Amino acid sequence: MNTPYPTVRLKNAWRSSHPWIFQKLVEKPAQRPRPGEIVDAYDVDGQFIGCGFYNGHSRIALRILETDPAVAVDADWFARRIGQAVALRREVLKLDEVSNAWRVVHAEGDGLTGLVVDRYDDLLVVEFFSAGMWRYREWIYAALQAQFPGARIYSFAEDHVQKQESFDYRPVYSGGGSPEPAIITEHGIRFRADPAGAHKTGFFADQRENREWFSRQVAGKRVLDLCCNTGGFAVYAAVRGAAEVTGIDIDEAVIEIAKGNARLNNVRPRFVQADIFPWLRDAAARGEQYDAVVLDPAKMTRDRDQVINALKKYLDMNKLALGVVRPGGLLATFSCTGLVAEDQFLDMLRRAAFYAGRTVQVLKVAGAGPDHPFLAHVPESRYLKAVFCRVLD
């Protein structure tokens, strides 16, 4: 080995290529490394498994980064791996031709477990999901600056991640204080991204292709965007010539951002601050019908024990949404709850259609854009489910 990393051993043989190894499978080292420290991992037979982050405080004790014993995980390693991720987006996917906002690093999908980086024009937003990525953040920043010279960098970690991974970190902006929002463009449509606001970045690039596909179906139509957040689908629909667009969200702050995004594009959707459950019941009672309805709620749960409850919520809201789609109209329904599998989501939709007394014809099942890749052996990186369907009767 070219770097004397601390050693951690497993309690059994290891026959998986998944980068996560859980605490119950790992022997407690005599001298416990600090949370997120780089270690070499061996199985019970002394076979080298890989090099990665160790965290004795986390449910995920080991996050494997490199399986070649001759390769050191150092600043150069991060530079290479981040460079490969950027090359995929620029050279293969050619995302710069479509937008100046895209996911630069998608955690396990890019072989960088515990790290997510999003680009918003000249602003890079770095989110840490592991103590290891946080501990070696200066290597990450240097690698990003090499790929995006002069970029501003804003980094943070959500409170629940810090608690699970045992580290403390307040948001940091490379320019000091708080970053100015970025104005980004995708498919010719402009949005404001504000990472220092209360709503993550204020913009979700993962829906880029879904927004574009949906918006191409709605010219001259009456459109309803439920859980509209900062107005992505609503603004797209209005720009693409929808006759009437209404966006509903319970959060007054995101409604204001949505109105600002509409002004950036010189369109005027109607945005309403309301809880979608009573709003939809009232709309159905009035006989309201829409040609196209979007339902894109926030993540329902991070707790595996709460998946059934999450599916019940999806069932209730999809049943109500189906009640206001005109016969022959379009429903676009989404789940960003990673713990809900695609087959579970489709089964929920089947049941929602049954209870609503509607016949649903699925046109397209999709997910996040290609800048959110996932490895076949690490399905956890695939979180977004998108279903586009006609409501036939």
Side-chain angles (χ1 to χ4, degrees):
M1 297 300 297
N2 43 20
T3 305
Y5 300 126
T7 296
V8 173
R9 293 191 179 276
L10 270 60
K11 296 176 181 178
N12 56 8
W14 186 247
R15 299 290 183 265
S16 173
S17 55
H18 199 290
W20 299 351
I21 303 178
F22 291 94
Q23 196 71 243
K24 63 183 179 181
L25 301 176
V26 180
E27 295 279 5
K28 288 185 179 180
Q31 290 186 316
R32 184 174 294 192
R34 296 167 297 175
E37 192 172 345
I38 294 174
V39 301
D40 283 332
Y42 294 84
D43 71 9
V44 71
D45 299 321
Q47 294 293 315
F48 179 75
I49 296 168
C51 179
F53 301 136
Y54 175 79
N55 192 338
H57 298 276
S58 172
R59 194 168 65 95
I60 302 172
L62 283 166
R63 293 175 180 266
I64 301 299
L65 299 169
E66 177 60 61
T67 57
D68 185 341
V71 176
V73 176
D74 53 17
D76 289 341
W77 184 93
F78 275 88
R80 289 194 304 274
R81 191 61 62 93
I82 288 174
Q84 290 164 1
V86 173
L88 169 66
R89 276 76 175 172
R90 285 187 159 151
E91 298 169 18
V92 179
L93 302 178
K94 303 188 185 306
L95 285 171
D96 284 331
E97 298 174 8
V98 175
S99 178
N100 60 353
W102 32 271
R103 177 146 293 183
V104 177
V105 173
H106 189 53
E108 289 79 13
D110 287 298
L112 288 154
T113 175
L115 178 67
V116 165
V117 182
D118 288 305
R119 175 198 175 197
Y120 300 98
D121 193 26
D122 70 328
L123 178 62
L124 299 178
V125 178
V126 179
E127 185 170 4
F128 302 114
F129 288 89
S130 71
M133 288 300 177
W134 165 76
R135 182 170 294 282
Y136 299 98
R137 59 194 178 278
E138 295 302 327
W139 292 351
I140 294 167
Y141 299 154
L144 290 171
Q145 288 288 0
Q147 296 293 327
F148 301 92
R152 302 178 288 147
I153 297 178
Y154 176 80
S155 60
F156 74 103
E158 290 193 353
D159 289 343
H160 75 93
V161 170
Q162 296 183 48
K163 184 177 179 181
Q164 289 170 0
E165 290 282 317
S166 191
F167 69 96
D168 295 309
Y169 190 62
R170 301 277 74 82
V172 173
Y173 174 49
S174 59
S178 295
E180 285 294 311
I183 303 298
I184 65 94
T185 304
E186 61 174 42
H187 294 294
I189 300 174
R190 303 174 76 207
F191 294 95
R192 176 178 177 267
D194 182 6
H199 304 90
K200 300 269 278 194
T201 62
F203 183 79
F204 297 102
D206 55 1
Q207 291 278 28
R208 176 180 53 249
E209 282 74 19
N210 295 327
R211 284 189 285 262
E212 173 69 359
W213 191 89
F214 176 82
S215 72
R216 295 298 181 180
Q217 321 303 316
V218 299
K221 303 291 180 63
R222 191 179 193 218
V223 176
L224 176 64
D225 184 3
L226 298 165
C227 305
C228 67
N229 197 260
T230 56
F233 282 97
V235 170
Y236 258 80
V239 170
R240 297 283 189 251
E244 176 189 324
V245 181
T246 301
I248 312 291
D249 202 284
I250 198 169
D251 190 328
E252 190 172 353
V254 297
I255 288 290
E256 289 307 310
I257 298 172
K259 290 177 179 177
N261 286 332
R263 288 192 293 272
L264 277 176
N265 294 279
N266 298 311
V267 291
R268 300 185 67 180
R270 170 176 168 253
F271 289 107
V272 178
Q273 189 266 322
D275 183 326
I276 66 165
F277 287 95
W279 192 92
L280 282 168
R281 291 187 189 100
D282 291 344
R286 294 192 303 269
E288 295 275 359
Q289 290 194 324
Y290 295 84
D291 300 301
V293 175
V294 175
L295 177 57
D296 185 19
K299 182 186 291 187
M300 292 291 183
T301 185
R302 296 185 181 93
D303 186 347
R304 195 170 295 277
D305 293 337
Q306 294 300 314
V307 168
I308 298 302
N309 287 335
L311 286 165
K312 289 177 180 176
K313 292 177 184 176
Y314 282 123
L315 176 65
D316 290 343
M317 61 178 62
N318 276 271
K319 181 176 67 174
L320 288 170
L322 283 164
V324 296
V325 182
R326 73 161 180 82
L330 178 68
L331 172 69
T333 182
F334 302 91
S335 165
C336 63
T337 305
L339 292 172
V340 171
E342 184 180 281
D343 60 341
Q344 291 177 304
F345 191 64
L346 287 168
D347 185 63
M348 174 283 302
L349 181 60
R350 175 190 63 79
R351 290 184 290 120
F354 174 79
Y355 290 125
R358 310 300 299 270
T359 302
V360 165
Q361 179 187 43
V362 175
L363 305 179
K364 178 180 178 181
V365 177
D371 49 337
H372 296 64
F374 67 96
L375 298 176
H377 62 283
V378 192
E380 288 84 355
S381 294
R382 185 178 183 229
Y383 64 97
L384 182 65
K385 279 73 61 178
V387 183
F388 299 89
C389 46
R390 289 177 71 217
V391 182
L392 298 181
D393 53 18

